[in-house]
Amino acid sequence: MPDSTFVPSVCPHDCPSTCALEVERIAPNRIGRVRGAPDNSYTDGVICAKVSRYAERVHHPDRLTMPLQRVGAKGEGKWREIPFEAALDIVAEQFARVAREHGPEAVWPYYYAGTMGHVQRDGIERLRNVMGYSRQATTICTALADAGWLAGTGVKRGADPREMALSDLIVVWGGNPVATQVNVMSWISRARKERGAKLVVVDPYRTGTAERADLHLAPRPGTDGALACAVMHVLFREGYADRDYMARYADAPDELERHLETRTPAWASAITGLDEEAIVAFARLYGSTKRSFLRLGYGFSRSRNGSAQMHAVSCLPVVTGAWAHEGGGALYSNSAIYRLDKTLIEGRDRLDPGVRVLDMSRIGPVLVGERDALGAGPQVHAMLIQNTNPATVAPESEKVRAGLLRDDLFVCVHEQFMTDTARLADIVLPATMMLEHDDLYTAGGQMHLQVGARQIDPPGACRENHEVIRGLARRLGAEHPGFGMTAWELVDATLKASGWPDAATLRDRRWHDCIAETDSHFLDGFGTPDRRFHFKPDWSRVGPNHADMPPLPDHFDVIEAATDEHPYRLVAPPARQFLNSSFTETPSARKREGRPTALVHPEDCAGLGLADGGLVRIGNRRGSVLVHVRPFDGLQPGVVVVEGIWPNDCFVEGRGINVLTGADPGRPLGGAVFHDTAVWLRAG
C-alpha cells in the first residue's frame, strides 16, 4: 500500500461518547494518525488526546501476540508460547472438567466494557446462557446510576446532548468531561461563546472541568442528595417551581414541597460542608434559567447512597419545568433509544432464570468463597475473563488477588496486554483491537448507531473475542445459531431484527441518528406506567435491596462515614490520560500522569506533617496503600483524592488503590461504591 488513506472507525472504549473516527491506514497492518470525524454531528471532529495517539497502543512492543500457558507458580510470571488451538483445547477441557465435577454453575465467564462493541463485548453471554454457567450482574459501572435515574423517569434516555449548545446554563454534576468525555466540553464551549451560557460544576474536588466553571460547588463525598434537596427547597420557597408543569407531569409535587420544608440550605450546609450562601446562589441561578441543562455523570452515584443521590438530582428539572424548553432538561444516558434485539448476540433465547447470578463488583468475596456472595451455588472453579482487568479495577483487590491465586481455580484471560489479571492466569490469549475486527456500537452520551468494520490485520496470533467464543463453543458442544455466524453477520442480523438499516447500509452511511425518533423531552410523558415523573418512586420496582430507601428525595445516610478511627473520606476518580486501566500501558499517558498521588488539603497536610512529594499511607480495615502526596486546596479538609486506576506495580508497595474500596453493594440494585471509602492517613 504505497499511499496512506483515512478509513472510518469507531472508538470502542468505555466512554459515553463512542466517537466517530477517521484513522490513517499506512499499511495493511499499520495505522498512523487518528482524528474525529468532522461530519458526525456529535463528535464534530473532536476526540480525546488518548485516542488521537492510538497508534502508540496498537503497535505497542508489549502487546500480546501469542497464546501463553503458565509453567511456574501462579503469579510467578513464567510462561511458554503454545498454539491457539491447543490453548482453546485446554480451556475447553478445564471448563468441561469443572462442570462435570462441580456443576456448570462452577464456571463463571466474566467480562465488562474494555470494548463497548456489542458483538465482541457481549458474545460471552451466549456461551454462558447455552452452557448454563453462572450468570453475571454487570453492576460495576452503571447499576447505581441506572437505578436512581429509572426511579424517577422510568426509562434510560434524556435530552439530546447537542442541545447543550442552545442552553443558557449547563450543570455538570458528578462528572469531569475535560478528562473523561471531551465532546461535552466542546458543546459547552459553544454555548458559552454563542449564548454567554454559564457553567456550574458539582464535584468533591477541583477537577479540570471545575477549573473552567463559573461556579464550582465541592460537597463532601456522598452528600449530593442533601444539596439537591436544599436547592429544591429554595426553588419552592422563592417561586421558581413550575407548578403547572409538575401538575401535568409529576406524581406528588405537593407532598414533595411539604417534605422539603425542613431541608433548608442551613440543614444541607451542615451535611455537605458548603456555605449556605453558595447553595442559595446556585438555586437561584438554576431556578431563574429555564434553558438549564443537567449533564449527570457517574461519579456521585458510586456511593452506598448513589441511587438515592441520582434520583434526588434528577428531580431538579422537573421542579423548574426545564424539560419543557429546548436546551433544558437533563441527560444521564441515552442507551434506551437504540432498542437492539440482542437475542443472537447474547443467546437470550437460551437464558435460564434459575441459574444463579454473581455480582461482578463482588468478585473478591465471590472468589474467596464468602457465602453471601456465592449464594446457594458452588464455589467458582473456572473463569474466562474478557474486556476487563478485575485484579486492578474491582473493589477489595486483596481478595480478588487471593481468589485468583487459588490453585483450584482455572483462569483464562483474553487480553491485549499482560495486565495484573493476566499475570494471575493459567492461559493468556492475545486479543484484537478495534481496527482488527467488526462490531456494532451504540452510545449513552450521544445518539448515533455505528458499525466499525475491520480495517487492518491483527498482529501475530491475535483473535477477536467472537472467534474465541465460537472456538470454545465448538469444543464444548454448545449449539446456537449465533455460534455459526461471523461477527459481521451478527451485526447485520441484529440490525435487521431491531428495525434499523442493515450492516452494509450503515457502513456506507457511517451512522444513524436514533434520537430523531425519540421524545427526548418527555413531552408525551415519562417512561413510568402512569407517564409521570416519580418524586415518590416505588423502589421495589427498581431493585431488591429497597427496604430502607427514602420515600422522597433526601440525604440517605448509609455512606461509610468518617469516624475517629477513619477520619478521612477517599475518592478514587479517573485520571485524564487513562480510561479505567486502559492506556496505562502507553508511555505518553504514563509520562503525562506521572505517578499515583494523593491530593490532600493543606490543613490536613500540616496536621499530619505531610510534605509535598513525600509519602502518605492511606488505610482502613481492608488494607493500606503507600502513595506520594501533593497538598491541594481544591477540596474540603477531610477529603482525599487519588486519581486513576494505575497498575498495582506503579504503587510504592505494589498494592493499588482498590485495596481500600469496599465490595458491599450499593442500594437497591447493587453497584460498586468506589467513591465511598473511609480511611486514615499517616505520614509514610
Side-chain angles (χ1 to χ4, degrees):
M1 187 175 300
D3 298 316
S4 68
T5 184
F6 278 89
V7 295
S9 191
V10 184
C11 180
H13 286 279
D14 190 7
C15 162
S17 284
T18 316
C19 290
L21 303 177
E22 294 180 352
V23 180
E24 184 184 28
R25 184 172 58 198
I26 58 178
N29 63 349
R30 196 159 191 88
I31 67 167
R33 294 166 291 171
V34 180
R35 63 195 186 196
D39 49 346
N40 181 279
S41 64
Y42 179 77
T43 302
D44 198 31
V46 177
I47 60 171
C48 66
K50 298 183 285 286
V51 173
S52 70
R53 302 189 298 267
Y54 213 75
E56 181 183 21
R57 196 165 188 273
V58 173
H59 305 303
H60 197 295
D62 293 339
R63 188 169 169 192
L64 296 171
T65 59
M66 288 294 295
L68 301 173
Q69 182 180 28
R70 176 176 62 85
V71 295
K74 276 196 173 185
E76 189 178 359
K78 294 183 179 179
W79 309 91
R80 70 182 181 100
E81 293 184 357
I82 59 174
F84 217 114
E85 299 304 318
L88 292 178
D89 288 344
I90 293 169
V91 177
E93 289 165 5
Q94 290 295 322
F95 278 23
R97 176 191 62 79
V98 166
R100 187 168 59 250
E101 295 177 1
H102 304 283
E105 287 186 343
V107 181
W108 191 25
Y110 188 93
Y111 78 105
Y112 202 58
T115 175
M116 294 290 280
H118 289 273
V119 172
Q120 307 297 343
R121 182 188 65 194
D122 299 331
I124 195 172
E125 293 282 20
R126 185 169 63 256
L127 182 68
R128 181 199 317 275
N129 291 334
V130 171
M131 298 301 296
Y133 296 150
S134 280
R135 295 159 62 196
Q136 174 180 298
T138 54
T139 58
I140 201 164
C141 182
T142 65
L144 285 156
D146 282 0
W149 180 263
L150 293 171
T153 65
V155 63
K156 195 175 176 181
R157 58 177 170 83
D160 185 331
R162 294 168 294 193
E163 284 189 34
M164 282 185 282
L166 304 175
S167 301
D168 295 318
L169 172 66
I170 300 103
V171 181
V172 175
W173 199 313
N176 181 18
V178 161
T180 61
Q181 198 188 357
V182 67
N183 311 84
V184 170
M185 295 307 299
S186 67
W187 290 100
I188 291 172
S189 296
R190 185 176 300 183
R192 298 177 90 176
K193 180 179 179 180
E194 297 177 1
R195 301 181 61 84
K198 301 294 185 183
L199 171 63
V200 175
V201 172
V202 182
D203 201 287
Y205 77 114
R206 191 172 61 237
T207 63
T209 307
E211 288 176 349
R212 292 160 170 76
D214 298 286
L215 174 64
H216 172 215
L217 298 173
R220 295 175 181 132
T223 66
D224 300 73
L227 173 58
C229 286
V231 169
M232 288 188 283
H233 171 97
V234 176
L235 296 176
F236 277 104
R237 184 185 70 193
E238 299 192 2
Y240 295 112
D242 189 332
R243 299 179 187 279
D244 290 340
Y245 179 87
M246 287 187 286
R248 180 176 178 185
Y249 287 103
D251 66 337
D254 295 338
E255 190 173 351
L256 174 66
E257 184 175 9
R258 290 192 298 272
H259 164 73
L260 292 172
E261 287 176 357
T262 59
R263 273 56 176 180
T264 65
W267 166 84
S269 176
I271 296 170
T272 65
L274 297 171
D275 292 337
E276 290 181 53
E277 295 79 6
I279 296 172
V280 172
F282 171 47
R284 289 171 175 166
L285 175 63
Y286 185 77
S288 63
T289 311
K290 289 302 184 182
R291 290 186 177 222
S292 57
F293 193 109
L294 280 180
R295 186 62 180 92
L296 303 179
Y298 300 109
F300 73 109
S301 75
R302 288 176 178 156
S303 178
R304 287 165 181 80
N305 63 358
S307 295
Q309 298 205 129
M310 173 64 82
H311 173 254
V313 177
S314 72
C315 294
L316 294 177
V318 183
V319 172
T320 65
W323 281 112
H325 302 275
E326 188 178 37
L331 175 61
Y332 155 58
S333 172
N334 269 324
S335 296
I337 69 175
Y338 302 101
R339 309 185 310 276
L340 290 183
D341 181 343
K342 295 173 68 175
T343 300
L344 276 171
I345 291 175
E346 297 185 4
R348 291 179 178 178
D349 51 339
R350 297 292 298 277
L351 187 152
D352 180 354
V355 174
R356 72 162 173 194
V357 181
L358 299 175
D359 185 342
M360 70 174 302
S361 298
R362 308 201 69 208
I363 181 175
V366 166
L367 294 186
V368 299
E370 294 182 13
R371 182 44 58 187
D372 67 324
L374 282 171
Q379 175 62 288
V380 172
H381 288 283
M383 298 182 74
L384 168 64
I385 299 176
Q386 290 184 321
N387 311 322
T388 188
N389 181 18
T392 300
V393 307
E396 296 192 25
S397 58
E398 293 284 70
K399 289 182 180 179
V400 179
R401 179 178 174 82
L404 290 172
L405 284 171
R406 283 174 30 217
D407 288 331
D408 64 342
L409 174 67
F410 172 83
V411 178
C412 171
V413 173
H414 188 199
E415 252 298 353
Q416 298 162 347
F417 294 94
M418 186 60 75
T419 62
D420 287 330
T421 306
R423 290 188 182 96
L424 304 178
D426 298 281
I427 295 289
V428 177
L429 304 177
T432 52
M433 291 190 181
M434 63 177 182
L435 293 155
E436 300 158 0
H437 55 241
D438 299 321
D439 217 333
L440 171 65
Y441 299 92
T442 56
Q446 58 145 311
M447 69 302 297
H448 289 116
L449 184 66
Q450 303 178 77
V451 294
R454 173 172 166 164
Q455 298 289 7
I456 61 172
D457 299 329
C462 291
R463 290 192 189 178
E464 62 186 78
N465 292 3
H466 176 60
E467 287 303 321
V468 167
I469 297 300
R470 292 179 74 190
L472 290 176
R474 287 194 299 272
R475 289 164 171 81
L476 292 164
E479 296 183 356
H480 188 274
F483 294 129
M485 304 169 73
T486 66
W488 187 257
E489 289 168 341
L490 276 174
V491 169
D492 187 57
T494 298
L495 288 168
K496 290 176 179 175
S498 307
W500 298 116
D502 62 32
T505 300
L506 192 56
R507 178 190 58 203
D508 293 341
R509 293 179 183 173
R510 295 287 309 279
W511 45 74
H512 181 82
D513 189 337
C514 299
I515 208 167
E517 304 163 43
T518 303
D519 174 19
S520 62
H521 283 260
F522 300 110
L523 299 180
D524 294 330
F526 287 85
T528 55
D530 61 3
R531 309 298 291 168
R532 291 176 176 269
F533 181 91
H534 286 186
F535 291 134
K536 191 175 183 179
D538 180 358
W539 288 107
S540 68
R541 295 173 61 93
V542 180
N545 191 12
H546 60 83
D548 57 349
M549 295 292 292
L552 287 159
D554 214 336
H555 173 57
F556 187 29
D557 193 10
V558 294
I559 60 175
E560 190 170 274
T563 63
D564 290 342
E565 184 181 0
H566 300 98
Y568 299 92
R569 296 268 292 150
L570 172 69
V571 176
R576 183 168 186 169
Q577 304 300 328
F578 304 156
L579 204 166
N580 300 325
S581 66
S582 295
F583 298 94
T584 59
E585 68 283 335
T586 58
S588 63
R590 288 277 191 100
K591 181 179 180 181
R592 287 170 169 82
E593 289 298 334
R595 63 190 178 190
T597 300
L599 306 179
V600 182
H601 195 277
E603 292 180 12
D604 293 328
C605 288
L608 294 164
L610 301 175
D612 190 4
L615 291 172
V616 60
R617 184 171 295 280
I618 309 175
N620 56 21
R621 59 184 173 79
R622 303 177 188 101
S624 69
V625 174
L626 194 63
V627 296
H628 292 84
V629 66
R630 177 160 66 91
F632 181 68
D633 65 1
L635 39 64
Q636 293 193 37
V639 177
V640 182
V641 170
V642 179
E643 292 183 327
I645 305 178
W646 293 80
N648 291 326
D649 61 10
C650 291
F651 287 79
V652 176
E653 296 177 328
R655 293 194 298 271
I657 200 64
N658 280 319
V659 165
L660 304 171
T661 56
D664 46 314
R667 295 171 173 83
L669 192 59
V673 294
F674 293 115
H675 307 328
D676 186 3
T677 306
V679 295
W680 46 257
L681 303 184
R682 297 171 188 164

